[in-house]
Amino acid sequence: MWLILAGRGWGKTRTGAQDIAHYALTNPDTLSAVVAPTFGDLRRVCFGGPSGLRAIIPDECYEVSRGRKSYSETTAEIRLANGSKIIGYAAIEPDRLRGPQFHRAWCDEVAAWRYPEAFDQLMFGLRLGKNPQCLITTTPKPNKIIKDLVSRDDVYVTSGNTFENEANLADSALAMLKEKYEGTAL
């Protein structure tokens, strides 16, 4: 597992989307999961946001069905031309992760998940292929799930702060953040 603990604007969503998209596009007929705190977060950030999957997957890589590229907002599923699928889940419904299985997973904002058992259910389903892997992107928060992940030997931790990505952020947002959080890690 790779855990990215970093401040707002660092590029966590972009990293998660790039990782899952690259994996699915270069490994035909695979199943990848994307799990966000809520369905709204899944649709607005992970799939539809400016750094999300739909913004980075080229149109020609989608499976074409009935003349349209295969993305279903209702089921939060992307079907790629190579047979791979990227399927979205909301951590607010942990039981939805019972049964499905995956080659790879991206967990977004785990520190904000209301039900930590969603992570456990996902891990039980991360069992396809020779080397199933999980990327976790989250803003730091010292809750139990984050503390447990950081303490594990099989989790690689990358940390960062907002200002490491300031070249890609609006000056007004940076000024507000500097004023609000001066002297703290973002």
Side-chain angles (χ1 to χ4, degrees):
M1 281 188 269
W2 179 21
L3 170 62
I4 299 176
L5 287 170
R8 294 178 183 202
W10 182 86
K12 298 179 300 293
T13 300
R14 181 63 179 228
T15 303
Q18 287 286 162
D19 178 79
I20 282 292
H22 180 264
Y23 181 84
L25 289 166
T26 58
N27 293 279
D29 300 312
T30 55
L31 296 171
S32 295
V34 177
V35 186
T38 67
F39 282 109
D41 297 323
L42 186 66
R43 285 190 301 271
R44 284 187 310 274
V45 179
C46 299
F47 278 77
S51 298
L53 288 162
R54 293 182 56 222
I56 63 166
I57 296 175
D59 286 343
E60 62 271 14
C61 294
Y62 285 87
E63 176 185 274
V64 176
S65 175
R66 296 184 204 124
R68 295 178 9 201
K69 62 183 183 181
S70 293
Y71 164 67
S72 170
E73 188 172 312
T74 306
T75 61
E77 183 173 303
I78 294 173
R79 292 176 179 262
L80 299 173
N82 70 357
S84 291
K85 293 180 194 173
I86 301 171
I87 306 165
Y89 296 88
I92 200 158
E93 292 190 72
D95 284 344
R96 288 283 177 233
L97 289 161
R98 289 178 178 271
Q101 52 188 353
F102 310 100
H103 293 88
R104 195 173 197 90
W106 166 29
C107 301
D108 190 50
E109 289 300 343
V110 171
W113 289 14
R114 183 177 299 167
Y115 305 110
E117 61 266 25
F119 186 78
D120 296 335
Q121 292 305 322
L122 175 65
M123 290 298 103
F124 294 144
L126 193 59
R127 59 181 182 253
L128 295 178
K130 295 180 192 233
N131 188 25
Q133 295 179 332
C134 180
L135 169 61
I136 303 158
T137 56
T138 191
T139 307
K141 184 178 180 182
N143 60 15
K144 182 175 178 357
I145 193 168
I146 298 301
K147 288 178 182 178
D148 289 348
L149 285 166
V150 169
S151 71
R152 290 175 57 161
D153 291 336
D154 63 341
V155 175
Y156 299 93
V157 179
T158 298
S159 58
N161 70 63
T162 300
F163 303 106
E164 291 172 327
N165 191 29
E166 69 182 279
N168 296 304
L169 302 173
D171 289 339
S172 58
L174 287 167
M176 186 273 306
L177 288 166
K178 284 178 182 174
E179 180 181 316
K180 175 119 176 112
Y181 295 105
E182 189 131 5
T184 64
L186 290 181

